[in-house]
mmCIF file with all atom_site columns, all heavy atoms in Angstrom:
data_model
loop_
_atom_site.group_PDB
_atom_site.id
_atom_site.type_symbol
_atom_site.label_atom_id
_atom_site.label_alt_id
_atom_site.label_comp_id
_atom_site.label_asym_id
_atom_site.label_entity_id
_atom_site.label_seq_id
_atom_site.pdbx_PDB_ins_code
_atom_site.Cartn_x
_atom_site.Cartn_y
_atom_site.Cartn_z
_atom_site.occupancy
_atom_site.B_iso_or_equiv
_atom_site.pdbx_formal_charge
_atom_site.auth_seq_id
_atom_site.auth_comp_id
_atom_site.auth_asym_id
_atom_site.auth_atom_id
_atom_site.pdbx_PDB_model_num
ATOM 1   N N   . ARG B 1 117 ? 93.918  122.925 92.468  1.00 90.00 ? 117 ARG B N   1
ATOM 2   C CA  . ARG B 1 117 ? 93.959  121.440 92.561  1.00 90.00 ? 117 ARG B CA  1
ATOM 3   C C   . ARG B 1 117 ? 93.859  120.790 91.193  1.00 90.00 ? 117 ARG B C   1
ATOM 4   O O   . ARG B 1 117 ? 94.565  119.813 90.894  1.00 90.00 ? 117 ARG B O   1
ATOM 5   C CB  . ARG B 1 117 ? 92.870  120.938 93.494  1.00 90.00 ? 117 ARG B CB  1
ATOM 6   C CG  . ARG B 1 117 ? 93.169  121.193 94.949  1.00 90.00 ? 117 ARG B CG  1
ATOM 7   C CD  . ARG B 1 117 ? 92.174  120.439 95.887  1.00 90.00 ? 117 ARG B CD  1
ATOM 8   N NE  . ARG B 1 117 ? 90.844  120.960 95.756  1.00 90.00 ? 117 ARG B NE  1
ATOM 9   C CZ  . ARG B 1 117 ? 90.381  122.001 96.400  1.00 90.00 ? 117 ARG B CZ  1
ATOM 10  N NH1 . ARG B 1 117 ? 91.192  122.672 97.199  1.00 90.00 ? 117 ARG B NH1 1
ATOM 11  N NH2 . ARG B 1 117 ? 89.153  122.398 96.256  1.00 90.00 ? 117 ARG B NH2 1
ATOM 12  N N   . LYS B 1 118 ? 92.984  121.338 90.355  1.00 89.00 ? 118 LYS B N   1
ATOM 13  C CA  . LYS B 1 118 ? 92.769  120.759 89.012  1.00 89.00 ? 118 LYS B CA  1
ATOM 14  C C   . LYS B 1 118 ? 94.076  120.752 88.187  1.00 89.00 ? 118 LYS B C   1
ATOM 15  O O   . LYS B 1 118 ? 94.367  119.800 87.481  1.00 89.00 ? 118 LYS B O   1
ATOM 16  C CB  . LYS B 1 118 ? 91.656  121.594 88.274  1.00 89.00 ? 118 LYS B CB  1
ATOM 17  C CG  . LYS B 1 118 ? 91.428  121.077 86.863  1.00 89.00 ? 118 LYS B CG  1
ATOM 18  C CD  . LYS B 1 118 ? 90.450  121.984 86.162  1.00 89.00 ? 118 LYS B CD  1
ATOM 19  C CE  . LYS B 1 118 ? 90.259  121.606 84.707  1.00 89.00 ? 118 LYS B CE  1
ATOM 20  N NZ  . LYS B 1 118 ? 89.375  122.532 83.990  1.00 89.00 ? 118 LYS B NZ  1
ATOM 21  N N   . HIS B 1 119 ? 94.804  121.799 88.326  1.00 86.00 ? 119 HIS B N   1
ATOM 22  C CA  . HIS B 1 119 ? 96.077  121.948 87.539  1.00 86.00 ? 119 HIS B CA  1
ATOM 23  C C   . HIS B 1 119 ? 97.317  121.518 88.361  1.00 86.00 ? 119 HIS B C   1
ATOM 24  O O   . HIS B 1 119 ? 98.436  121.683 87.886  1.00 86.00 ? 119 HIS B O   1
ATOM 25  C CB  . HIS B 1 119 ? 96.235  123.389 87.010  1.00 86.00 ? 119 HIS B CB  1
ATOM 26  C CG  . HIS B 1 119 ? 95.180  123.763 86.054  1.00 86.00 ? 119 HIS B CG  1
ATOM 27  N ND1 . HIS B 1 119 ? 95.213  123.385 84.708  1.00 86.00 ? 119 HIS B ND1 1
ATOM 28  C CD2 . HIS B 1 119 ? 94.044  124.477 86.191  1.00 86.00 ? 119 HIS B CD2 1
ATOM 29  C CE1 . HIS B 1 119 ? 94.155  123.835 84.126  1.00 86.00 ? 119 HIS B CE1 1
ATOM 30  N NE2 . HIS B 1 119 ? 93.436  124.534 84.986  1.00 86.00 ? 119 HIS B NE2 1
ATOM 31  N N   . ARG B 1 120 ? 97.067  120.955 89.584  1.00 88.00 ? 120 ARG B N   1
ATOM 32  C CA  . ARG B 1 120 ? 98.150  120.525 90.487  1.00 88.00 ? 120 ARG B CA  1
ATOM 33  C C   . ARG B 1 120 ? 99.163  121.576 90.717  1.00 88.00 ? 120 ARG B C   1
ATOM 34  O O   . ARG B 1 120 ? 100.375 121.374 90.587  1.00 88.00 ? 120 ARG B O   1
ATOM 35  C CB  . ARG B 1 120 ? 98.798  119.265 89.908  1.00 88.00 ? 120 ARG B CB  1
ATOM 36  C CG  . ARG B 1 120 ? 97.781  118.103 89.849  1.00 88.00 ? 120 ARG B CG  1
ATOM 37  C CD  . ARG B 1 120 ? 98.432  116.843 89.325  1.00 88.00 ? 120 ARG B CD  1
ATOM 38  N NE  . ARG B 1 120 ? 97.449  115.824 89.245  1.00 88.00 ? 120 ARG B NE  1
ATOM 39  C CZ  . ARG B 1 120 ? 97.617  114.736 88.567  1.00 88.00 ? 120 ARG B CZ  1
ATOM 40  N NH1 . ARG B 1 120 ? 98.716  114.519 87.876  1.00 88.00 ? 120 ARG B NH1 1
ATOM 41  N NH2 . ARG B 1 120 ? 96.683  113.798 88.518  1.00 88.00 ? 120 ARG B NH2 1
ATOM 42  N N   . LEU B 1 121 ? 98.661  122.779 91.060  1.00 87.00 ? 121 LEU B N   1
ATOM 43  C CA  . LEU B 1 121 ? 99.526  123.889 91.320  1.00 87.00 ? 121 LEU B CA  1
ATOM 44  C C   . LEU B 1 121 ? 99.640  124.188 92.803  1.00 87.00 ? 121 LEU B C   1
ATOM 45  O O   . LEU B 1 121 ? 98.680  123.971 93.547  1.00 87.00 ? 121 LEU B O   1
ATOM 46  C CB  . LEU B 1 121 ? 98.982  125.152 90.596  1.00 87.00 ? 121 LEU B CB  1
ATOM 47  C CG  . LEU B 1 121 ? 98.910  125.040 89.078  1.00 87.00 ? 121 LEU B CG  1
ATOM 48  C CD1 . LEU B 1 121 ? 98.117  126.256 88.520  1.00 87.00 ? 121 LEU B CD1 1
ATOM 49  C CD2 . LEU B 1 121 ? 100.316 125.015 88.467  1.00 87.00 ? 121 LEU B CD2 1
ATOM 50  N N   . ALA B 1 122 ? 100.792 124.678 93.207  1.00 85.00 ? 122 ALA B N   1
ATOM 51  C CA  . ALA B 1 122 ? 100.983 125.040 94.634  1.00 85.00 ? 122 ALA B CA  1
ATOM 52  C C   . ALA B 1 122 ? 100.263 126.355 94.911  1.00 85.00 ? 122 ALA B C   1
ATOM 53  O O   . ALA B 1 122 ? 100.050 127.168 93.989  1.00 85.00 ? 122 ALA B O   1
ATOM 54  C CB  . ALA B 1 122 ? 102.487 125.159 94.899  1.00 85.00 ? 122 ALA B CB  1
ATOM 55  N N   . ILE B 1 123 ? 99.972  126.577 96.205  1.00 80.00 ? 123 ILE B N   1
ATOM 56  C CA  . ILE B 1 123 ? 99.374  127.835 96.610  1.00 80.00 ? 123 ILE B CA  1
ATOM 57  C C   . ILE B 1 123 ? 100.437 128.929 96.414  1.00 80.00 ? 123 ILE B C   1
ATOM 58  O O   . ILE B 1 123 ? 101.541 128.780 96.843  1.00 80.00 ? 123 ILE B O   1
ATOM 59  C CB  . ILE B 1 123 ? 98.951  127.757 98.111  1.00 80.00 ? 123 ILE B CB  1
ATOM 60  C CG1 . ILE B 1 123 ? 97.866  126.745 98.262  1.00 80.00 ? 123 ILE B CG1 1
ATOM 61  C CG2 . ILE B 1 123 ? 98.497  129.164 98.598  1.00 80.00 ? 123 ILE B CG2 1
ATOM 62  C CD1 . ILE B 1 123 ? 97.511  126.444 99.718  1.00 80.00 ? 123 ILE B CD1 1
ATOM 63  N N   . PRO B 1 124 ? 100.079 130.045 95.730  1.00 83.00 ? 124 PRO B N   1
ATOM 64  C CA  . PRO B 1 124 ? 101.092 131.092 95.520  1.00 83.00 ? 124 PRO B CA  1
ATOM 65  C C   . PRO B 1 124 ? 101.575 131.671 96.855  1.00 83.00 ? 124 PRO B C   1
ATOM 66  O O   . PRO B 1 124 ? 100.801 131.712 97.819  1.00 83.00 ? 124 PRO B O   1
ATOM 67  C CB  . PRO B 1 124 ? 100.297 132.137 94.713  1.00 83.00 ? 124 PRO B CB  1
ATOM 68  C CG  . PRO B 1 124 ? 99.130  131.439 94.148  1.00 83.00 ? 124 PRO B CG  1
ATOM 69  C CD  . PRO B 1 124 ? 98.813  130.342 95.060  1.00 83.00 ? 124 PRO B CD  1
ATOM 70  N N   . PRO B 1 125 ? 102.806 132.113 96.923  1.00 79.00 ? 125 PRO B N   1
ATOM 71  C CA  . PRO B 1 125 ? 103.303 132.700 98.185  1.00 79.00 ? 125 PRO B CA  1
ATOM 72  C C   . PRO B 1 125 ? 102.584 134.013 98.461  1.00 79.00 ? 125 PRO B C   1
ATOM 73  O O   . PRO B 1 125 ? 102.074 134.681 97.585  1.00 79.00 ? 125 PRO B O   1
ATOM 74  C CB  . PRO B 1 125 ? 104.784 132.959 97.900  1.00 79.00 ? 125 PRO B CB  1
ATOM 75  C CG  . PRO B 1 125 ? 104.879 133.005 96.401  1.00 79.00 ? 125 PRO B CG  1
ATOM 76  C CD  . PRO B 1 125 ? 103.819 132.100 95.846  1.00 79.00 ? 125 PRO B CD  1
ATOM 77  N N   . VAL B 1 126 ? 102.516 134.343 99.753  1.00 77.00 ? 126 VAL B N   1
ATOM 78  C CA  . VAL B 1 126 ? 101.836 135.552 100.194 1.00 77.00 ? 126 VAL B CA  1
ATOM 79  C C   . VAL B 1 126 ? 102.670 136.776 99.726  1.00 77.00 ? 126 VAL B C   1
ATOM 80  O O   . VAL B 1 126 ? 103.850 136.797 99.909  1.00 77.00 ? 126 VAL B O   1
ATOM 81  C CB  . VAL B 1 126 ? 101.686 135.594 101.723 1.00 77.00 ? 126 VAL B CB  1
ATOM 82  C CG1 . VAL B 1 126 ? 101.028 136.874 102.163 1.00 77.00 ? 126 VAL B CG1 1
ATOM 83  C CG2 . VAL B 1 126 ? 100.854 134.420 102.163 1.00 77.00 ? 126 VAL B CG2 1
ATOM 84  N N   . HIS B 1 127 ? 102.017 137.726 99.098  1.00 83.00 ? 127 HIS B N   1
ATOM 85  C CA  . HIS B 1 127 ? 102.691 138.929 98.618  1.00 83.00 ? 127 HIS B CA  1
ATOM 86  C C   . HIS B 1 127 ? 102.798 139.948 99.734  1.00 83.00 ? 127 HIS B C   1
ATOM 87  O O   . HIS B 1 127 ? 102.013 139.946 100.704 1.00 83.00 ? 127 HIS B O   1
ATOM 88  C CB  . HIS B 1 127 ? 101.887 139.460 97.442  1.00 83.00 ? 127 HIS B CB  1
ATOM 89  C CG  . HIS B 1 127 ? 102.563 140.550 96.664  1.00 83.00 ? 127 HIS B CG  1
ATOM 90  N ND1 . HIS B 1 127 ? 102.590 141.846 97.017  1.00 83.00 ? 127 HIS B ND1 1
ATOM 91  C CD2 . HIS B 1 127 ? 103.308 140.452 95.531  1.00 83.00 ? 127 HIS B CD2 1
ATOM 92  C CE1 . HIS B 1 127 ? 103.295 142.519 96.176  1.00 83.00 ? 127 HIS B CE1 1
ATOM 93  N NE2 . HIS B 1 127 ? 103.754 141.716 95.197  1.00 83.00 ? 127 HIS B NE2 1
ATOM 94  N N   . PHE B 1 128 ? 103.720 140.874 99.558  1.00 90.00 ? 128 PHE B N   1
ATOM 95  C CA  . PHE B 1 128 ? 103.897 141.959 100.540 1.00 90.00 ? 128 PHE B CA  1
ATOM 96  C C   . PHE B 1 128 ? 102.602 142.743 100.780 1.00 90.00 ? 128 PHE B C   1
ATOM 97  O O   . PHE B 1 128 ? 102.319 143.159 101.903 1.00 90.00 ? 128 PHE B O   1
ATOM 98  C CB  . PHE B 1 128 ? 105.030 142.921 100.067 1.00 90.00 ? 128 PHE B CB  1
ATOM 99  C CG  . PHE B 1 128 ? 105.201 144.116 100.945 1.00 90.00 ? 128 PHE B CG  1
ATOM 100 C CD1 . PHE B 1 128 ? 105.763 144.001 102.188 1.00 90.00 ? 128 PHE B CD1 1
ATOM 101 C CD2 . PHE B 1 128 ? 104.677 145.333 100.560 1.00 90.00 ? 128 PHE B CD2 1
ATOM 102 C CE1 . PHE B 1 128 ? 105.918 145.137 103.020 1.00 90.00 ? 128 PHE B CE1 1
ATOM 103 C CE2 . PHE B 1 128 ? 104.834 146.470 101.348 1.00 90.00 ? 128 PHE B CE2 1
ATOM 104 C CZ  . PHE B 1 128 ? 105.435 146.337 102.602 1.00 90.00 ? 128 PHE B CZ  1
ATOM 105 N N   . ILE B 1 129 ? 101.812 142.967 99.721  1.00 93.00 ? 129 ILE B N   1
ATOM 106 C CA  . ILE B 1 129 ? 100.533 143.692 99.879  1.00 93.00 ? 129 ILE B CA  1
ATOM 107 C C   . ILE B 1 129 ? 99.607  142.925 100.792 1.00 93.00 ? 129 ILE B C   1
ATOM 108 O O   . ILE B 1 129 ? 98.911  143.509 101.650 1.00 93.00 ? 129 ILE B O   1
ATOM 109 C CB  . ILE B 1 129 ? 99.866  143.912 98.497  1.00 93.00 ? 129 ILE B CB  1
ATOM 110 C CG1 . ILE B 1 129 ? 100.773 144.744 97.590  1.00 93.00 ? 129 ILE B CG1 1
ATOM 111 C CG2 . ILE B 1 129 ? 98.508  144.577 98.645  1.00 93.00 ? 129 ILE B CG2 1
ATOM 112 C CD1 . ILE B 1 129 ? 100.951 146.179 98.000  1.00 93.00 ? 129 ILE B CD1 1
ATOM 113 N N   . GLY B 1 130 ? 99.570  141.596 100.638 1.00 90.00 ? 130 GLY B N   1
ATOM 114 C CA  . GLY B 1 130 ? 98.748  140.800 101.515 1.00 90.00 ? 130 GLY B CA  1
ATOM 115 C C   . GLY B 1 130 ? 99.167  140.824 102.954 1.00 90.00 ? 130 GLY B C   1
ATOM 116 O O   . GLY B 1 130 ? 98.346  140.907 103.900 1.00 90.00 ? 130 GLY B O   1
ATOM 117 N N   . LYS B 1 131 ? 100.515 140.846 103.167 1.00 86.00 ? 131 LYS B N   1
ATOM 118 C CA  . LYS B 1 131 ? 101.011 140.933 104.539 1.00 86.00 ? 131 LYS B CA  1
ATOM 119 C C   . LYS B 1 131 ? 100.695 142.295 105.127 1.00 86.00 ? 131 LYS B C   1
ATOM 120 O O   . LYS B 1 131 ? 100.340 142.410 106.318 1.00 86.00 ? 131 LYS B O   1
ATOM 121 C CB  . LYS B 1 131 ? 102.531 140.733 104.542 1.00 86.00 ? 131 LYS B CB  1
ATOM 122 C CG  . LYS B 1 131 ? 102.949 139.292 104.196 1.00 86.00 ? 131 LYS B CG  1
ATOM 123 C CD  . LYS B 1 131 ? 104.423 139.173 104.209 1.00 86.00 ? 131 LYS B CD  1
ATOM 124 C CE  . LYS B 1 131 ? 104.885 137.727 103.829 1.00 86.00 ? 131 LYS B CE  1
ATOM 125 N NZ  . LYS B 1 131 ? 106.340 137.584 103.797 1.00 86.00 ? 131 LYS B NZ  1
ATOM 126 N N   . SER B 1 132 ? 100.774 143.353 104.319 1.00 93.00 ? 132 SER B N   1
ATOM 127 C CA  . SER B 1 132 ? 100.451 144.689 104.779 1.00 93.00 ? 132 SER B CA  1
ATOM 128 C C   . SER B 1 132 ? 98.961  144.786 105.152 1.00 93.00 ? 132 SER B C   1
ATOM 129 O O   . SER B 1 132 ? 98.594  145.406 106.161 1.00 93.00 ? 132 SER B O   1
ATOM 130 C CB  . SER B 1 132 ? 100.761 145.721 103.673 1.00 93.00 ? 132 SER B CB  1
ATOM 131 O OG  . SER B 1 132 ? 102.146 145.706 103.370 1.00 93.00 ? 132 SER B OG  1
ATOM 132 N N   . ALA B 1 133 ? 98.108  144.172 104.329 1.00 94.00 ? 133 ALA B N   1
ATOM 133 C CA  . ALA B 1 133 ? 96.685  144.179 104.615 1.00 94.00 ? 133 ALA B CA  1
ATOM 134 C C   . ALA B 1 133 ? 96.359  143.517 105.942 1.00 94.00 ? 133 ALA B C   1
ATOM 135 O O   . ALA B 1 133 ? 95.631  144.013 106.760 1.00 94.00 ? 133 ALA B O   1
ATOM 136 C CB  . ALA B 1 133 ? 95.888  143.477 103.470 1.00 94.00 ? 133 ALA B CB  1
#
Side-chain angles (χ1 to χ4, degrees):
R117 283 191 295 276
K118 177 183 174 184
H119 295 281
R120 296 182 182 164
L121 298 170
I123 296 171
V126 178
H127 192 276
F128 174 75
I129 299 292
K131 291 179 182 178
S132 299

